Amino acid sequence: LRCRKCGRVIDVARATVAPSPPPGAQKRSSRRKSQDRVVLPDSSIFARLRSRASQFATRFTDMVPQFEKGIGSTHALKHGWQDAVRGPIGIAVVAYALLMVATVIYMRLRGDVDPIGMLLLFGPRTYLVWPWAILLVVAFVKGRRTGAIAVAGSLVTLFGVAQFELPLRLPPRTSHRAMRLVTFNADLSNELSNRIRQDLETWNADIVVFQGCASQLAETLRSLTTYSVHTTSEFCMVLRGTLEGVDTMSLSERHGRAGYDNLGNVLRYRVRIGETLLPVYSVHLDSPRDAIWSARHFDFSLLQTNLDSRSLQSAYVSQWVRRADTAYVVAGDFNTPYGSQFLRRDWSDLTNAFSEAGTGFGATMRASYFRVRIDHVLVPQTLVVTNANILSDFPSEHQPVVVDLAWR
């Protein structure tokens, strides 16, 4: 029985069935009931209000135990998550996950802004994914909640820190293929001259831009008869089409600032593929090799100088590129990892081809025992990237980037 006022519940025993009365007693009971008056319930509005108030009070008192039960389950849930982060396993999982979140935030705010952000971008970030192979197993052994924290941390590390790419969006509708472009920093390799003819047939590209083109490679390219070829001491270009002109912007001047004798190079090829005239920019910015090599030997004095140099180069090149009054493509060795602040500052209005349609980490250069992604292909919104791949097994520290483009 439940009290309607206080909600207290009292257990009572079930009433036993009384034996049937004798025939005479049943008749006397029926005569006594017929003499009793039956009182009908009051049908006035006040009686109905009292009835409604009584029903509401009953429902409210019935809700109190359910509310107390809900509070108890909330406390149990809270204690469950507290138990998930306790112990050596829980502490290790949470600490590593928070470290990865902090790394993502720092890379987003200070990537290539200060020496620490520069070393993070050029460091072996893909190796930070591997500890989750062990942490995920031991986390799920501890419990499901600890495993959920480990899964969230591993996703942050994979996509935020290591910057693993997936083509999550379907390519928009296109009218026709514009071109297949390959950008490749040959890194002054003479071995490429022995295989470049076969590579060009395999790539089946409309235009190939080389940076760091060695003299022997340039000589081999000039001997090609089925392509339009342009070579300089720094750049080479192979075109299956018509080359209508080449424009140069020299960045060797200091621009009034001391310490920047070499500010990178860029060429603009005005190419015609079919009936389409498309400017293609080949970029090679300053290398951070010396600064990072000095930092490995605990000499960090060159990091900030290299940061300022590459930032200045990127700004000047982007300003020159934006003078184009038609659609264009920018490709080459930016010597800047994806996620750099000044790469975002100067080129955010263009689409990074591998981020749009590539799969994987997109590493384009071998830096000792790990790889970084510093070669990029950037396109405007009038062009859509239908495919992007990073090739491998070439005799160079850099690897070719193959991109298929189509008109939107």
Side-chain angles (χ1 to χ4, degrees), residues 10 31 39 53 89 112 139 142 195 208 228 231 235 239 251 261 266 300-301 312 321 333 348-349 365 399:
I10 302 175
R31 285 196 301 269
V39 181
I89 296 177
D112 249 3
K142 178 177 174 58
R195 53 174 294 178
V208 182
S228 299
T231 63
F235 298 99
L239 172 65
L251 295 180
D261 294 329
V266 57
F300 304 98
S301 59
L312 187 64
V321 167
D333 181 9
S348 60
D349 57 331
M365 176 190 173
Q399 301 300 304

Side-chain angles (χ1 to χ4, degrees), residues 61-210:
T61 54
D62 291 340
M63 290 172 59
V64 171
Q66 297 178 3
F67 179 73
E68 294 176 351
K69 183 179 179 181
I71 294 178
S73 62
T74 303
H75 285 296
L77 182 64
K78 180 179 178 181
H79 288 299
W81 284 106
Q82 289 178 352
D83 294 338
V85 300
R86 289 175 180 170
I89 296 177
I91 293 175
V93 169
V94 173
Y96 195 67
L98 292 178
L99 178 62
M100 294 299 100
V101 172
T103 303
V104 171
I105 295 174
Y106 196 90
M107 288 172 51
R108 179 70 180 180
L109 299 178
R110 306 296 295 176
D112 249 3
V113 175
D114 54 28
I116 298 177
M118 177 180 172
L119 292 176
L120 278 177
L121 288 181
F122 282 96
R125 290 175 285 138
T126 55
Y127 288 176
L128 299 177
V129 180
W130 298 113
W132 288 113
I134 299 175
L135 291 176
L136 281 170
V137 175
V138 297
F140 276 102
V141 171
K142 178 177 174 58
R144 289 180 298 176
R145 292 186 175 92
T146 309
I149 297 174
V151 170
S154 62
L155 293 178
V156 170
T157 308
L158 181 63
F159 294 102
V161 178
Q163 294 179 336
F164 188 88
E165 300 286 359
L166 287 175
L168 300 179
R169 293 181 297 176
L170 295 176
R173 299 177 63 182
T174 58
S175 57
H176 64 279
R177 168 178 163 176
M179 61 187 299
R180 169 172 288 180
L181 181 143
V182 177
T183 178
F184 184 20
N185 184 348
D187 201 24
L188 300 178
S189 174
N190 289 319
E191 299 181 21
L192 286 171
S193 59
N194 301 325
R195 53 174 294 178
I196 192 61
R197 296 176 182 271
Q198 181 180 356
D199 290 333
L200 290 175
E201 294 179 0
T202 303
W203 295 342
N204 191 27
D206 298 293
I207 180 171
V208 182
V209 291
F210 295 91

Side-chain angles (χ1 to χ4, degrees), residues 8-54:
R8 183 179 178 185
V9 179
I10 302 175
D11 295 332
V12 296
R14 184 184 297 275
T16 58
V17 180
S20 57
Q26 187 175 4
K27 292 181 180 180
R28 288 193 299 271
S29 176
S30 60
R31 285 196 301 269
R32 188 179 297 109
K33 289 182 180 180
S34 62
Q35 294 175 359
D36 295 337
R37 292 182 177 273
V38 178
V39 181
L40 298 177
D42 190 1
S43 61
S44 63
I45 186 172
F46 299 103
R48 290 198 296 272
L49 290 176
R50 287 195 300 268
S51 176
R52 294 290 178 85
S54 177

Side-chain angles (χ1 to χ4, degrees), residues 319-374:
Q319 290 175 12
W320 187 56
V321 167
R322 281 176 174 78
R323 296 176 185 175
D325 54 358
T326 61
Y328 55 87
V329 178
V330 185
D333 181 9
F334 286 76
N335 273 310
T336 302
Y338 184 74
S340 170
Q341 279 288 352
F342 59 78
L343 193 66
R344 187 181 301 113
R345 175 198 68 194
D346 301 326
W347 307 98
S348 60
D349 57 331
L350 301 179
T351 300
N352 191 292
F354 191 84
S355 298
E356 182 75 11
T359 302
F361 297 106
T364 61
M365 176 190 173
R366 289 191 297 266
S368 183
Y369 54 89
F370 61 95
R371 298 187 177 190
V372 292
R373 177 183 168 192
I374 59 176

